[in-house]
Amino acid sequence: MSTALAGTRRLVRFTLRRDRVRLTVWVLAIVVTVLGSVATFSSTYPTAADRQARADVLQSNAAASLFVGPGYGTDHYTFGAMTANEMLPLTALVVALMNIFLIVRHTRAEEEEERAELIRATRVGRLAIPSAALTELIGANVAIAVLLTFGLPASLEGLSAAGSLAFACGVAGVGLVFAGVALVAAQLTVSARGALGLSSLVMAVLYLERALADMGDSGLAWLSPFGWASNLRAYVDERWWPLLLFAALTAALVAVAFRIAAHRDLGAGMIAERPGRPHASARLRSPLALALRLQRTSLVAWALSLLAFGAVYGSIAPDAAHLAADVVKLKDYYARIGHAAVVDQFVSFAIYLCAVVAAGFAIQVATRPRAEETAGRTEPLLATPVGRVRWLGAQLAVSLGGGVLVLLGIGLGMGVSYALADGDAGHVLPSVGAALTYAPALWVFTGLAALLFGLLPRATTWAWAGLGVVGFLALLGPLLQLPDWIYDVSPFEHVPRMPADAFSAAPLLVLTAVAAALLALGAWGFRRRDLG
Amino acid sequence: MSAISVTGLVKTFGATRALDGLDLEVAEGEVHGFLGPNGAGKSTTIRVLLGLLRADAGAATLLGGDPWHDAVDLHRRIAYVPGDVSLWPNLSGGEAIDLLSRLRGGVDPARRDALIQRFDLDPSKKARAYSKGNRQKVALVAALASDADLLIFDEPTSGLDPLMAAGFQEVVRELKAEGRTALLSSHILAEVEALCDRVTIIRLGRRVESGSLSDLRHLTRTTILAEVAEPAQALADEPGVHDLKVSDGHVSFDVDTHHLNDAVRRLTDFGLRSMTSHPPTLEQLFLRHYGDELAAEGVPLQT
């Protein structure tokens, strides 16, 4: 065993060096978001009655368990109970994602890129690469746990040091389990993409299992690590023994992964890859066909995920109004504008949030040209009679058009499930229309990525930072009361929020014009610059 | 008419001057060898010729057009094999070949399949499962199956085994017989010697030598190995004689080509019993141009 681990210490240092920015951003973003959200509780729900009303709504709405826990302490809904109930599941989900991304990045992705071969040819044991990745993630999970334990304000009513420790351990425990899941997945598939897909699938299934189990009282939530985290009962009635479950499952997963890693060939997986076609299909004869072929799986996955996301929101839309009606602070507002308008506002806001997420697809596709360029796959294509603008345009077209399809998925998911929940088919078309209205906002992000690619190619991935700002404004913006011009930066703020607001073409035309200008500038820059 | 004509080409990357007034002439219908050590600027030159990089100064004409402005039109008549082939991991080799061929303007399926067989390539494997050599074969099949007038190869056989490299040479000879032009950048001197009509040697972004192989041989030395009856140390004083070694009746030396006649005549004074001579290999030409550089790195110059 000791020779199998040889070189791990050096590799850990190397891994941390490579991830010094990435890891810091993940950890801080997670911690700051949790602490920031908890800090807003006292202004959103100032009185015990407000909190109790909130708890009752969550309890009465089965679908809410997608986002909240089983609801320990809802009979006396302190800020502590609120933190555990409403922050834990989603935080644990994001931490799980962090573990999956980083583990795959340092294991299967390295093997696929054949860098692992260089490393393994040195005095480095068979298990050094996975154990170095695991060490880094253990450190990251512990760092998140420590920062949360000490960062969550004990001054807030109902928060305690022990409770914060339980909350933090739950988050970190889920993180460790998914580090183990990703480590096993990385042994099974031959591609990094496959390992990410498999781990995310396991994560989604376990998350949904927990959510479904928490709708009833069956105890089936114990089948999922997400359920174990809730069952630490942070801030309510802490119990610690479920931590052993995290430890045992993580150890078992790591043992399985190490056992496979110690015996398999480098670069090989356990799931064999299907052979490809010896001839290309007749359609694969243009840059656009290639771009579609490379992005089709991703497009389908995004469209279906957001369709499901929209459907979840749609199914709770009719109840949304009751939620507002019961919150003391919103009672007057509710009485003033009426039930239908409140539902419309909920639907509008849900579509807005989904559309912000959909911009992720537009950016993912629009930043692909840079990845193709650095991988050296652009050169052979541009050495054929394919012009630069045609090559770039094909990929941007998939970003622009695919974005519209993803929005359509949101609208359909939302509209159909809202219609089913409310028994009124008339909800479908307005939802679809409202979702499609965001297309010009997505195009601006395609344009931003294209602009960076043309003029500052090395900064292409900073397009994601633009979405980060917009996402931050969408989630926390209303609570922070920032100056108006900051909100104006986000293209999404200019889109009429239908169905609550009326349609208006002018802002959409302006956004489309901005997107067109960005795309044109990007193409102009790319035509003039060196490839490399 | 020249297929490629480059004069005074300059390309800088930041502080690095990758091309520093490079000249290159490739005549139509010839196979032209393009030699130089790593970092000499071979790939940079090729990428300028393909319109992937824009030259800072100098003039380049490719098949009568401007490589930057007429890139798309020119590429109908050009096929290119990069030195480091990178493919789409989830596309099979066959799909990549078909895609590249179709983008260039159609593929002759019979020729494609014959080449796949000749290079012993499995076209149904996904690209991520290919070795470097197999990725290179994919690019070679796509290029060689085309009807391009000009083929540009950047170290095309660096990942191939000798059998496949021989197969490559065979195909290039066939293309040459059809009157097509090729620019072949290579480190493998035997390959250049076997295939190329003319050679350009570059170094530090400049041309240091250009001509047919026989032209270049005039510039350099012939190696003589002889057996003589008498001690022949006196040969060292003969003009044009270098690296004389005398031991036990065996003599070896290099002689400048224009002193060959006098040196051989002088050799007979020592009672010549047997003699062999061979012309300089490209290896020696190469070493003469990079000798100082190699010597500085401690590489012995005798091969």
Side-chain angles (χ1 to χ4, degrees):
Chain A
M1 197 68 182
S2 69
T3 58
L5 288 169
T8 301
R9 275 228 325 251
R10 269 170 201 283
L11 277 184
V12 170
R13 278 215 300 272
F14 175 61
T15 308
L16 287 172
R17 165 77 177 68
R18 280 184 65 196
D19 275 355
R20 63 197 192 285
V21 176
R22 195 175 292 248
L23 194 63
T24 315
V25 169
W26 268 109
V27 169
L28 289 184
I30 289 168
V31 170
V32 167
T33 308
V34 172
L35 299 184
S37 306
V38 171
T40 63
F41 283 174
S42 55
S43 59
T44 319
Y45 306 98
T47 69
D50 291 333
R51 294 194 291 277
Q52 206 53 50
R54 168 88 174 164
D56 295 343
V57 169
L58 293 177
Q59 284 296 94
S60 64
N61 184 345
S65 77
L66 267 177
F67 308 105
V68 304
Y72 293 112
T74 38
D75 42 352
H76 174 51
Y77 209 46
T78 61
F79 289 119
M82 193 174 234
T83 302
N85 200 36
E86 299 183 29
M87 296 304 301
L88 187 53
L90 285 177
T91 308
L93 192 71
V94 175
V95 171
L97 271 178
M98 175 191 82
N99 279 273
I100 290 172
F101 276 127
L102 291 177
I103 287 280
V104 172
R105 166 176 153 84
H106 288 293
T107 53
R108 181 51 73 175
E110 285 291 282
E111 264 182 72
E112 195 184 7
E113 298 290 324
E114 292 169 7
R115 286 189 291 262
E117 199 169 307
L118 270 181
I119 302 279
R120 280 278 299 276
T122 63
R123 248 195 88 247
V124 151
R126 243 182 270 283
L127 298 180
I129 291 177
S131 54
L134 182 64
T135 310
E136 175 183 78
L137 268 305
I138 290 174
N141 289 312
V142 168
I144 289 175
V146 169
L147 290 171
L148 285 179
T149 304
F150 292 101
L152 283 164
S155 55
L156 218 52
E157 188 214 328
L159 269 69
S160 62
S164 295
L165 181 64
F167 179 92
C169 285
V171 168
V174 171
L176 283 175
V177 166
F178 284 97
V181 168
L183 213 53
V184 173
Q187 309 308 316
L188 299 181
T189 67
V190 290
S191 70
R193 211 176 243 263
L196 283 178
L198 184 60
S199 317
S200 312
L201 182 69
V202 171
M203 182 188 76
V205 167
L206 290 175
Y207 187 84
L208 287 176
E209 195 279 335
R210 194 274 321 159
L212 292 174
D214 279 344
M215 286 178 190
D217 224 357
S218 57
L220 286 174
W222 287 100
L223 289 177
S224 163
F226 290 102
W228 306 343
S230 303
N231 275 295
L232 291 169
R233 298 187 182 176
Y235 301 117
V236 178
D237 162 27
E238 290 89 7
R239 47 181 181 187
W240 302 99
W241 61 265
L243 291 179
L244 293 176
L245 293 173
F246 289 123
L249 182 55
T250 306
L253 288 166
V254 169
V256 169
F258 277 14
R259 194 170 161 76
I260 301 173
H263 289 94
R264 71 178 171 86
D265 294 342
L266 187 72
M270 292 286 135
I271 301 171
E273 204 173 31
R274 279 173 303 154
R277 332 158 47 112
H279 290 267
S281 84
R283 275 166 302 168
L284 187 61
R285 51 171 55 254
S286 67
L288 184 62
L290 175 66
L292 279 172
R293 167 72 202 273
L294 295 177
Q295 298 291 358
R296 66 182 179 196
T297 316
S298 168
L299 173 59
V300 170
W302 275 89
L304 290 182
S305 312
L306 280 170
L307 186 127
F309 217 54
V312 168
Y313 277 120
S315 69
I316 57 175
D319 297 331
H322 303 300
L323 196 152
D326 291 343
V327 174
V328 179
K329 225 173 88 176
L330 296 177
K331 255 189 182 136
D332 295 343
Y333 178 64
Y334 180 74
R336 199 171 68 242
I337 70 169
H339 176 85
V342 173
V343 175
D344 275 354
Q345 289 211 330
F346 173 83
V347 170
S348 306
F349 187 69
I351 290 178
Y352 161 74
L353 279 186
C354 289
V356 170
V357 176
F361 170 79
I363 294 179
Q364 183 197 303
V365 176
T367 50
R368 177 71 179 255
R370 177 60 183 168
E372 291 286 295
E373 183 187 2
T374 48
R377 290 191 284 262
T378 307
E379 231 175 89
L381 285 180
L382 291 187
T384 68
V386 168
R388 292 184 179 211
V389 173
R390 194 172 153 219
W391 173 79
L392 178 63
Q395 296 174 83
L396 297 178
V398 174
S399 171
L400 298 171
V404 175
L405 281 179
V406 173
L407 289 175
L408 184 65
I410 296 171
L412 279 176
M414 169 72 102
V416 170
S417 86
Y418 179 21
L420 288 174
D422 211 26
D424 179 359
H427 294 314
V428 178
L429 277 183
S431 299
V432 170
L436 292 179
T437 316
Y438 286 94
L442 260 60
W443 295 342
V444 170
F445 280 95
T446 305
L448 175 65
L451 178 79
L452 291 169
F453 177 69
L455 299 180
L456 294 166
R458 275 179 209 157
T460 306
T461 48
W462 280 95
W464 287 105
L467 183 60
V469 170
V470 167
F472 181 80
L473 289 177
L475 288 173
L476 294 178
L479 302 168
L480 299 179
Q481 295 171 351
L482 300 169
D484 281 346
W485 65 265
I486 295 186
Y487 297 104
D488 287 344
V489 168
S490 165
F492 287 91
E493 298 293 330
H494 301 285
V495 177
R497 292 219 186 140
M498 294 170 28
D501 295 351
F503 177 78
S504 109
L508 301 182
L509 291 175
V510 171
L511 285 175
T512 307
V514 169
L518 293 172
L519 289 166
L521 266 175
W524 177 80
F526 180 54
R527 279 188 61 166
R528 301 171 50 84
R529 72 171 171 86
D530 286 343
L531 205 73
Chain B
M1 193 189 145
S2 318
I4 299 174
S5 172
V6 169
T7 44
L9 205 62
V10 174
K11 178 70 197 174
T12 53
F13 298 107
T16 321
R17 213 170 164 81
L19 298 181
D20 186 15
L22 182 102
D23 301 321
L24 174 66
E25 284 289 329
V26 176
E28 242 167 49
E30 75 171 352
V31 177
H32 194 99
F34 195 36
L35 291 167
N38 290 330
K42 299 189 297 291
S43 296
T44 305
T45 309
I46 288 176
R47 301 174 88 230
V48 169
L49 290 175
L50 288 169
L52 301 171
L53 301 180
R54 177 135 77 166
D56 297 324
T61 314
L62 191 74
L63 300 173
D66 179 294
W68 179 267
H69 290 288
D70 310 327
V72 173
D73 284 335
L74 289 175
H75 291 174
R76 280 180 224 288
R77 301 168 58 198
I78 294 175
Y80 165 58
V81 177
D84 194 358
V85 181
S86 174
L87 300 169
W88 300 272
N90 52 346
L91 256 61
S92 72
E95 286 179 299
I97 290 171
D98 286 349
L99 173 71
L100 289 171
S101 311
R102 287 169 185 172
L103 290 178
R104 195 174 286 118
V107 60
D108 173 357
R111 187 165 167 78
R112 166 200 191 269
D113 293 342
L115 281 165
I116 285 177
Q117 205 155 33
R118 196 160 185 173
F119 284 113
D120 195 20
L121 177 73
D122 176 358
S124 61
K125 262 198 194 173
K126 294 276 177 77
R128 74 163 60 86
Y130 280 138
S131 64
K132 172 175 163 55
N134 278 324
R135 289 201 303 268
Q136 207 145 27
K137 287 179 193 175
V138 168
L140 276 173
V141 170
L144 296 172
S146 75
D147 56 359
D149 299 329
L150 172 63
L151 295 108
I152 297 180
F153 303 106
D154 194 357
E155 304 193 11
T157 57
S158 56
L160 301 187
D161 63 43
L163 202 64
M164 294 301 151
F168 167 74
Q169 292 187 15
E170 215 177 310
V171 181
V172 173
R173 275 193 210 100
E174 289 166 19
L175 297 177
K176 189 173 147 189
E178 293 169 18
R180 305 211 238 163
T181 313
L183 178 68
L184 172 65
S185 125
S186 181
H187 277 311
I188 302 170
L189 304 170
E191 185 170 274
V192 173
E193 260 186 309
L195 287 176
C196 296
D197 309 293
R198 292 196 315 133
V199 175
T200 295
I201 301 179
I202 71 164
R203 183 186 176 193
L204 300 174
R206 286 166 173 268
R207 179 170 75 185
V208 288
E209 201 81 75
S210 185
S212 69
L213 285 173
S214 51
D215 286 345
L216 297 189
R217 283 188 185 119
H218 280 300
L219 297 171
T220 181
R221 300 160 186 170
T222 300
T223 303
I224 306 275
L225 303 162
E227 253 183 279
V228 287
E230 296 161 28
Q233 269 82 2
L235 272 174
D237 302 330
E238 198 63 26
V241 169
H242 307 270
D243 297 330
L244 178 71
K245 290 195 191 75
V246 179
S247 71
D248 202 18
H250 290 272
V251 180
S252 76
F253 59 91
D254 296 339
V255 57
D256 293 339
T257 304
H258 57 277
H259 290 296
L260 183 61
N261 190 40
D262 294 335
V264 173
R265 185 176 294 150
R266 182 79 176 88
L267 194 58
T268 57
D269 296 345
F270 300 99
L272 186 61
R273 286 177 176 161
S274 77
M275 190 188 88
T276 56
S277 76
H278 56 82
T281 60
L282 204 44
E283 208 90 39
Q284 284 167 314
L285 282 179
F286 210 61
L287 283 173
R288 208 180 126 199
H289 286 295
Y290 307 124
D292 48 350
E293 202 167 82
L294 294 172
E297 290 166 20
V299 180
L301 294 187
Q302 294 300 317
T303 50

